[in-house]
């Protein structure tokens, strides 16, 4: 369950950002430098129930990724409250936490640990992970020689093997090939049936239409609409 | 808790592998560095300047090894936070892990360096006795102090990038005001305050007492160092916790 109330996120953009103590001292007696406030999210309210499949849509810069990062606890809200019940796995970018100089196997263990798995869990699920990613032949290959598609497959396959309640996906599946995409969609359906919550952002409205039962439409950090998928998509096509 | 330990273990191991994979001499380099330093400093101070201290080689090497651990831990922590920039911006995990694993990596190097030191001790006719256990206890405040300073520096480094260079200057001065190339009894009385306020200096001298001079374990002295270390550890951890919340935006 996710409950978000009056959520506001402000990014301060300092036009002359003081990156060093030296600069800080020099500018100490000057008038305050101009700080522009960027409202990435303005007064957002919504609630997500267990088992919901939520799509978040909106143009670039509408605050989709910021919202996902706040739900994932990577960013802290400026104002408002965010209550998240259940274990969150977020997949904000391909293969982060992966290291080029380590092998696929080493990377799975590292990434698994980063997203909160114990060694035993990873041991138990390692074969499943490799199977799902279709990378059986490359277990001991260094990631340096992997294509970006292969990295996504490996990271995604690892992420979905954790015992999560909420899965967050940010424009992820644009990279994998058709076969892998289909595999992912199948497993999303399975997760939904298990009562897991999935939140995804996408510019592909067909995907949103096919999977999501509810959609949040954002524009310049404001909530425009949060409702059943067909209603939101209808409205979105008009603006 | 189990997950947390696994995370620290995996990150430490990965850092270790990555660090030595690309270098020509690999892990061997971490042995070579203190030995080279020792040879050069020994040549200058014992042979050129004719500094007469018994067992100078051992005093020197132990000082260098402990000092290098402290310097390495702080520097690697700062470098790792930037190296893991992507990770910080995109994955949520306990941020302390980056600094803890950096310091653990330096600790691994410290242990390997100590093996060399012990071999040298045996070669020079010393025997390893019960004091070795007390010496291992001294490594606890050494680690905690280094971790605390690393937390503090790293938290500031994300915001102010010249901390790295300021710290570089600090380290250079620190090398000379800490009894590494000399022992504390050579220091004029009026400067002894420098020693009293410097936990690393105290740790080096405590270690020399135990391993080289063969003195009894000075519990009072140890307690002072331990309290020092705990205070710095807590301050560092607190600052890091407060500031690391904003790492994804600042870094």
């Amino acid at each position: 369950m996710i409950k978000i109330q009056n959520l506001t996120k402000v990014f301060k953009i300092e036009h002359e950002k003081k990156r060093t103590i030296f600069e800080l001292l020099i500018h100490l007696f000057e008038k305050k430098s101009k700080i522009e406030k960027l409202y990435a999210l303005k007064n957002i309210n919504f609630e997500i129930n267990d088992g919901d499949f939520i799509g978040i849509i909106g143009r670039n810069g509408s605050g989709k990724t910021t919202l996902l990062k706040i739900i994932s606890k990577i960013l802290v809200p400026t104002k408002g409250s965010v209550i998240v019940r259940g274990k969150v796995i977020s997949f904000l970018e391909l293969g982060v936490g992966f290291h080029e100089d380590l092998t696929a196997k080493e990377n799975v263990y590292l990434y698994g640990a980063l997203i909160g798995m114990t060694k035993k869990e990873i041991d138990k699920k390692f074969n499943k992970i490799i199977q799902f990613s279709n990378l059986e032949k490359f277990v001991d290959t260094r990631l340096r020689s992997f294509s970006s598609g292969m990295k996504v497959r490996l990271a995604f396959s690892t992420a979905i093997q954790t015992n999560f309640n909420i899965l967050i996906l940010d424009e992820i599946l644009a990279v994998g090939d058709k076969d892998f995409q289909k595999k992912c969609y199948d497993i999303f359906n399975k997760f939904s049936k298990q009562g897991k919550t999935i939140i995804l952002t996408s510019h592909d409205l067909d995907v949103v239409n096919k999977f999501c039962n509810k959609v949040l439409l954002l524009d310049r950090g404001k909530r425009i609409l949060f409702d059943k998928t067909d209603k939101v998509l209808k409205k979105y096509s008009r603006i | 808790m189990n997950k947390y330990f696994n995370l620290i273990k995996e990150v430490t191991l990965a850092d270790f592998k990555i660090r030595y994979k690309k270098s020509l001499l690999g892990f061997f380099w971490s042995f070579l560095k203190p030995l080279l330093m020792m040879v050069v400093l020994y040549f200058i101070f014992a042979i050129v300047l004719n500094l007469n201290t018994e067992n100078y080689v051992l005093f020197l090497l132990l000082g260098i090894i402990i000092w290098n651990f402290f310097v390495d831990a702080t520097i690697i922590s700062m470098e790792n936070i930037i190296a893991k920039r992507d990770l910080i911006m995109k994955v949520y995990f306990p941020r302390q892990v980056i600094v803890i694993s950096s310091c653990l990596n330096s600790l691994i190097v410290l242990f390997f360096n100590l093996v060399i030191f012990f071999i040298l001790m045996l070669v020079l006719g010393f025997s390893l006795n019960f004091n070795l256990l007390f010496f291992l206890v001294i490594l606890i405040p050494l680690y905690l102090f280094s971790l605390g300073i690393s937390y503090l520096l790293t938290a500031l480094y994300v915001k102010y990038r010249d901390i790295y260079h300021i710290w570089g200057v600090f380290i250079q001065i620190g090398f000379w005001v800490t009894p590494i190339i000399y022992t504390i009894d050579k220091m004029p009385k009026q400067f002894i305050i420098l020693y009293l306020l410097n936990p690393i200096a105290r740790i080096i001298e405590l270690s020399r007492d135990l391993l080289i001079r063969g003195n009894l374990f000075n519990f009072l002295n140890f307690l002072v160092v331990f309290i020092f270390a705990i205070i710095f550890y807590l301050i560092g951890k607190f600052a890091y916790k407060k500031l690391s919340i904003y790492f994804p935006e600042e870094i």
Side-chain angles (χ1 to χ4, degrees):
Chain A
M1 193 223 40
I2 299 170
K3 196 174 176 185
I4 288 177
Q5 284 176 313
N6 301 322
L7 171 65
T8 298
K9 178 69 191 176
V10 181
F11 288 112
K12 283 181 200 149
I13 302 173
E14 283 176 58
H15 288 293
E16 299 155 27
K17 191 158 172 54
K18 297 176 197 67
R19 290 246 67 149
T20 64
I21 287 185
F22 182 66
E23 283 168 2
L24 188 75
L25 290 176
I26 286 179
H27 294 282
L28 201 59
F29 302 105
E30 269 180 22
K31 271 181 279 173
K32 279 222 165 144
S33 70
K34 259 193 189 166
I35 295 175
E36 197 182 314
K37 282 186 173 177
L38 177 83
Y39 281 82
L41 293 171
K42 261 186 243 171
N43 229 351
I44 303 280
N45 289 286
F46 68 95
E47 231 182 291
I48 297 174
N49 296 317
D50 292 339
D52 273 348
F53 203 132
I54 307 286
I56 301 178
I57 56 173
R59 284 177 293 190
N60 284 332
S62 58
K64 301 186 295 282
T65 303
T66 306
L67 181 58
L68 293 187
K69 281 190 172 178
I70 289 175
I71 298 173
S72 319
K73 289 200 224 163
I74 294 167
L75 293 177
V76 283
T78 309
K79 256 187 239 157
S81 83
V82 176
I83 300 166
V84 178
R85 293 233 175 85
K87 175 155 176 61
V88 179
I89 287 293
S90 52
F91 209 73
L92 296 174
E93 199 153 320
L94 333 167
V96 287
F98 276 8
H99 218 287
E100 302 269 294
D101 287 319
L102 300 177
T103 65
K105 186 175 182 175
E106 288 168 333
N107 267 305
V108 167
Y109 276 85
L110 176 61
Y111 184 59
L114 280 166
I115 57 180
M117 290 166 94
T118 61
K119 174 144 192 313
K120 254 191 203 157
E121 271 177 89
I122 306 172
D123 283 340
K124 222 170 72 187
K125 287 174 173 165
F126 185 74
N127 286 333
K128 268 190 182 171
I129 291 170
I130 295 299
Q131 219 173 16
F132 192 87
S133 63
N134 249 332
L135 293 167
E136 286 95 338
K137 282 184 208 155
F138 305 101
V139 171
D140 292 313
T141 309
R142 284 195 198 181
L143 239 62
R144 192 170 286 289
S145 39
F146 273 40
S147 70
S148 56
M150 287 159 93
K151 283 181 210 163
V152 181
R153 262 146 58 195
L154 189 63
F156 184 76
S157 308
T158 313
I160 58 167
Q161 288 300 333
T162 51
N163 288 319
F164 62 86
N165 305 98
I166 300 162
L167 180 64
I168 290 177
L169 303 161
D170 188 17
E171 287 286 349
I172 287 306
L173 298 165
V175 181
D177 57 21
K178 278 265 147 51
D179 286 348
F180 188 69
Q181 278 186 11
K182 187 175 175 306
K183 223 171 169 181
C184 293
Y185 294 142
D186 288 346
I187 208 155
F188 291 164
N189 278 326
K190 199 182 112 196
F191 288 149
S192 274
K193 275 177 202 143
Q194 289 172 351
K196 296 185 179 196
T197 309
I198 302 176
I199 307 171
L200 61 82
T201 64
S202 185
H203 289 290
D204 186 349
L205 296 182
D206 289 339
V207 171
V208 174
N209 193 22
K210 199 169 154 195
F211 291 102
C212 304
N213 63 325
K214 280 176 128 184
V215 175
L216 174 67
L217 171 59
L218 292 175
D219 188 47
R220 272 169 251 158
K222 275 190 246 165
R223 167 185 156 169
I224 305 295
L225 199 58
F226 180 56
D227 209 329
K228 296 229 168 64
T229 304
D230 49 334
K231 281 186 188 165
V232 181
L233 290 185
K234 225 180 250 167
K235 166 119 184 167
Y236 188 55
S237 63
R238 265 184 274 132
I239 53 171
Chain B
M1 214 52 196
N2 200 351
K3 284 176 196 167
Y4 191 55
F5 277 122
N6 185 44
L7 178 54
I8 290 175
K9 192 193 81 191
E10 287 294 339
V11 175
T12 306
L13 281 178
D15 283 353
F16 188 78
K17 282 181 200 158
I18 292 157
R19 203 170 156 213
Y20 294 106
K21 222 160 218 175
K22 275 192 189 154
S23 58
L24 191 60
L25 290 171
F27 190 59
F28 191 60
W29 174 241
S30 56
F31 293 102
L32 224 53
K33 197 175 145 194
L35 285 177
L36 276 175
M37 255 174 104
M38 184 199 72
V39 170
V40 171
L41 290 170
Y42 184 81
F43 175 76
I44 294 170
F45 289 98
I47 295 171
V48 178
L49 294 176
N50 216 357
L51 189 79
N52 263 325
T53 305
E54 225 184 319
N55 301 315
Y56 185 57
V57 176
L58 291 178
F59 280 108
L60 191 58
L61 187 59
L62 190 59
I64 291 171
I65 288 174
I66 292 173
W67 177 254
N68 275 3
F69 162 75
F70 173 66
V71 171
D72 264 9
T74 55
I75 296 279
I76 295 172
S77 295
M78 283 194 274
E79 285 173 355
N80 266 345
I81 205 89
I82 301 302
K84 294 189 180 359
R85 187 172 185 269
D86 242 27
L87 199 60
I88 289 171
M89 285 166 71
K90 280 150 203 161
V91 182
Y92 173 74
F93 62 96
R95 308 293 187 210
Q96 308 93 283
V97 171
I98 296 173
V99 179
I100 293 175
S101 67
S102 303
C103 292
L104 283 177
N105 258 301
S106 308
L107 197 66
I108 297 173
V109 173
L110 174 76
F111 277 117
F112 280 102
N113 283 338
L114 283 173
V115 170
I116 299 225
F117 174 78
F118 293 139
I119 292 172
L120 189 66
M121 265 179 83
L122 294 174
V123 168
L124 292 176
F126 281 78
S127 56
L128 294 171
N129 56 24
F130 200 67
N131 273 355
L132 186 61
L133 286 179
F134 287 118
F135 169 67
L136 293 178
V137 174
I138 295 175
L139 296 182
I140 298 169
L142 175 64
Y143 181 78
L144 286 179
F145 178 72
S146 306
L147 185 60
I149 298 290
S150 300
Y151 271 142
L152 211 59
L153 287 169
T154 310
L156 291 172
Y157 180 50
V158 170
K159 217 169 158 57
Y160 304 109
R161 292 298 157 85
D162 57 346
I163 287 285
Y164 190 83
H165 303 292
I166 293 172
W167 185 240
V169 175
F170 213 85
I171 284 170
Q172 293 238 311
I173 297 168
F175 181 81
W176 298 102
V177 298
T178 304
I180 298 166
I181 47 168
Y182 52 90
T183 51
I184 193 63
D185 44 284
K186 292 271 196 296
M187 194 178 252
K189 282 278 178 297
Q190 64 267 35
F191 293 121
I192 216 89
I193 185 93
L194 278 178
Y195 160 74
L196 292 174
L197 290 173
N198 179 352
I200 298 292
R202 282 170 175 266
I203 288 167
I204 288 175
E205 278 301 311
L206 266 172
S207 308
R208 285 168 170 171
D209 271 350
L210 287 169
L211 293 176
I212 305 168
R213 297 188 189 104
N215 292 347
L216 286 177
F217 183 58
N218 187 335
F219 186 73
L220 193 73
N221 217 337
F222 171 77
L223 201 66
V224 174
V225 171
F226 197 76
I227 291 168
F228 249 115
I230 292 279
I231 290 170
F232 274 97
Y233 168 72
L234 290 176
I235 293 172
K237 197 178 170 184
F238 179 77
Y240 190 83
K241 242 186 170 162
K242 284 267 165 213
L243 292 170
S244 65
I245 296 170
Y246 301 102
F247 280 180
E249 289 165 56
E250 300 266 357
I251 202 159

